[in-house]
Amino acid sequence: MDVVRLFSAEDLEIAHEFDGEGAYFCNTFRIGVQEYVYRDTSLAPIAYKSLIKRTAKLSLYKLLSEFYRKKLPWGSLTGIRPTRLAYQELEWAEDFAPLFRELGVSEENIGLVKRVIAGQRGIYSRKDGNCDLFVSLPFCPTKCVYCSFVTAPIEKTRQYLPDYLAALRAELVAAKPLIKNLRSVYVGGGTPFALSAAELKEVFEAIAPLRNNGCEFTVEAGRPDVFTEEKLRLCKDYGVTRICINAQSFSDRTLRAIGRSHTAAQVEEAFALAAPYNFTVNCDLIAGLTGESAEEFYASVEKAISLKPENITVHTLCLKKGSRLKEEVAALGDGDLPDMIAYSRRALTEAGYEPYYLYRQKYMAGAHENVGWTKPGFASVYNVDVMEESADNLAVGANAITKKIFTGEGRIERIGSPKDIPTYLNKVRALIEEKNALFES
Ligand code: SF4
């Protein structure tokens, strides 16, 4: 289904036959009289199972690619972590490029993955006991049209805040003994700065005892309309090292169209307000926002660069179920996206940024990717650990996914907390016990 979705080919009649036994298998896909067959007879039994799926995707991709006379930038690769596959390949091969080429990945994207792996040098680490802490604050000033996240304008959820903060405190007290080597803390959302300074202070107070090694501490402050001097000073006082000023676009027309209640000028003001505090700053941009022209996106990239944040993340619009935009837009073609992505890669490289993490999502416009770019020496430990699933993630709050990595067994176990706040509040005790059991196992 993932490959079919890449081509928006859901209405096409595709016949599939699978024939396999022992170390032999054969996948045949047909559209009318056109067919593609992938056959392998030389596999070791262990490789056999994992390769059936990959080659089925590859053969279907090749058939659809010929049928539509269209190649996709990531070929038949539908997974959300291309670098993870590259690292796996590098465990036994000298180069991952031949595998990626075979899967139909473009030379540009093979080059991108190489640069990302180089950008992770010195940070990427797979060691038992490594852990990151995520604190979820699912509160926002208003809801953006492309957002599928379970978040509501804070006016509608403010009544839950006292109980929510108490639940976070309980989770954080319980989390402390479970963490061996804390690598980073990330307070995300939502928009953490949607909270008042006094509420934020409560969150920081609860985190402080866990972060006694002075590790990286990010607050995804968020949208500029909620930035205040007081909240920034509070961040500094509690040892925050990294904040996010999420512009998404520097076009006022686009910002209005996507339901943001701030202007591009306010983004610049937030940068100016944060400048004296010397945080590492990340700025998010989105390529492919409906109605935004390529020129507007190019101007956003240039504006972001001119503000000199240490990190710039370029997202590709992702139309998830639940977002207003998904409901409004039936199908989104590639449009100017390839040009926008090529432009951002070129401009950021010329400005001295290097890609250091990348991930993809289902329903991503044009089957592209999100890329985190950094000035040398400012890559975020949290982003690398999360994208590569190379460290445990203890996640507290609603709509947060805790992950325990069993490195030796190549296994990951997850505990997802309820997305809506009242259900989370009812279940917080049970969640604490579940996490204790997972981390003590
Ligand atoms: S600020 Fe972020 S989390 Fe909040 S509604 Fe907008 S996209 Fe969603």
Side-chain angles (χ1 to χ4, degrees), residues 140-144 146-147 149 151 189-191 223 248 260:
C140 287
T142 56
K143 178 121 179 170
C144 306
Y146 56 84
C147 184
F149 193 61
T151 181
T191 306
R223 296 158 46 157
Q248 318 301 36
R260 310 273 285 196

Side-chain angles (χ1 to χ4, degrees), residues 1-7 53 57 60 76 78-79 362:
M1 250 337 262
D2 290 342
V3 175
V4 172
R5 199 178 292 121
L6 291 176
F7 287 88
K53 198 171 163 196
K57 280 184 181 179
L60 179 55
S76 65
T78 56
K362 275 188 184 175

Side-chain angles (χ1 to χ4, degrees), residues 410-421:
R411 182 167 63 90
I412 299 175
E413 281 199 26
R414 297 171 174 81
I415 298 172
S417 55
K419 292 184 175 178
D420 82 294
I421 296 172

